[in-house]
Amino acid sequence: MKKRYIFDLDGTLMRGDFKNFTDQYLLEQLGEEARPVVGHIHDYLSQYERTFPRYTDENLSRFLREQTGVPFTPELIREWDELVVELPNTLEEGVLETLEELKRRNRDIVVLTNWYTESQRKRLAKEGILPYFRAIYGGDLMTKPHKEAYWVAAAGCKPRECIFVGDNVDFDYVGPKSCGYDAVLYDKNDTHHKSIVKIKRMNEILDFK
Ligand SMILES: [Mg+2]
């Protein structure tokens, strides 16, 4: 039986309008010449997460400066992160019912996300779902796909008793599986290969034994 459910946040529990909000802010701060970089900012973040085990403003700004030539500063990262809290979000379909049912079953529910813990916590609170979660593990602690991130989020739970759920094949599926944990890909448009264990609707997670 699964006792501990470990959810990714962005693209899994909710979607934030990064494009019209934080990306727009970065463009205003960094100028028009930064447009190609800002257009791919999430690819740069993903590259950072694969390279470094945790987020710090200093390290992220240095990495972005070196990779792009755009003058990112720690202060800009801080303001960007504060703006993330203001993002308009949409909860994924079925999330609320699924969390409610898991709570009814007395399961441990936690979040493992790669962005800063405090702003992700505030976003969950803003959407009214923070009380469902026993803990929020963010990228300032450990970033996926580093093994320590999965170990920390599992918190000593036996591999067969916990399950990871997320929308990124490498970070939320391959990563936990390579540490011996069960994982399910949230793939609502059914775009990934059949060999991957996946769900199209969030409440399907309730059927996993
Ligand atoms: Mg995600």
Side-chain angles (χ1 to χ4, degrees):
M1 189 185 80
K2 299 301 178 205
K3 288 184 175 164
R4 190 173 178 89
Y5 290 74
I6 301 159
F7 288 92
D8 167 53
L9 195 157
D10 282 294
T12 301
L13 295 171
M14 63 170 83
R15 271 166 206 281
D17 184 6
F18 292 96
K19 214 172 201 53
N20 292 313
F21 210 76
T22 43
D23 290 8
Q24 202 53 42
Y25 166 79
L26 290 177
L27 265 184
E28 283 163 21
Q29 296 298 310
L30 296 166
E32 196 50 39
E33 59 276 20
R35 188 173 283 277
V37 171
V38 172
H40 290 101
I41 197 68
H42 295 278
D43 297 332
Y44 285 108
L45 293 181
S46 171
Q47 200 185 328
Y48 176 90
E49 290 157 4
R50 289 172 196 276
T51 312
F52 297 99
R54 69 181 56 80
Y55 273 111
T56 69
D57 299 348
E58 285 290 338
N59 204 35
L60 177 60
S61 57
R62 187 185 315 116
F63 172 83
L64 290 173
R65 278 199 307 277
E66 286 171 4
Q67 292 293 315
T68 68
V70 172
F72 284 89
T73 61
E75 293 72 26
L76 179 71
I77 302 292
R78 196 68 342 256
E79 283 172 34
W80 176 16
D81 178 43
E82 279 162 23
L83 206 59
V84 164
V85 177
E86 311 293 321
L87 271 178
N89 302 297
T90 314
L91 280 186
E92 286 296 308
E93 209 185 327
V95 161
L96 213 51
E97 303 89 283
T98 305
L99 293 174
E100 190 57 40
E101 178 58 21
L102 290 174
K103 185 180 122 185
R104 198 189 65 78
R105 294 182 189 180
N106 211 14
R107 303 294 190 257
D108 280 349
I109 323 172
V110 304
V111 166
L112 177 63
T113 167
N114 266 359
W115 194 248
Y116 292 89
T117 308
E118 206 41 46
S119 45
Q120 297 293 62
R121 186 189 297 277
K122 287 178 183 162
R123 288 176 69 205
L124 292 164
K126 201 171 91 167
E127 300 310 314
I129 58 173
L130 182 62
Y132 288 103
F133 299 100
R134 176 165 283 213
I136 314 297
Y137 303 99
D140 42 350
L141 248 74
M142 288 303 297
T143 47
K144 302 178 270 189
H146 299 276
K147 284 187 161 53
E148 290 81 357
Y150 308 111
W151 295 335
V152 166
C157 194
K158 291 189 186 110
R160 65 174 180 281
E161 291 176 343
C162 57
I163 187 158
F164 287 76
V165 189
D167 68 316
N168 183 298
V169 176
D170 291 340
F171 291 8
D172 303 317
Y173 187 79
V174 176
K177 284 189 85 74
S178 71
C179 293
Y181 298 111
D182 276 350
V184 175
L185 186 75
Y186 176 56
D187 182 18
K188 66 175 174 182
N189 298 317
D190 205 8
T191 53
H192 290 279
H193 197 269
K194 284 190 178 63
S195 64
I196 292 176
V197 179
K198 53 189 182 172
I199 53 172
K200 282 187 356 184
R201 290 181 49 87
M202 195 47 80
N203 59 7
E204 293 169 41
I205 197 71
L206 300 169
D207 300 332
F208 282 80
K209 296 291 179 239

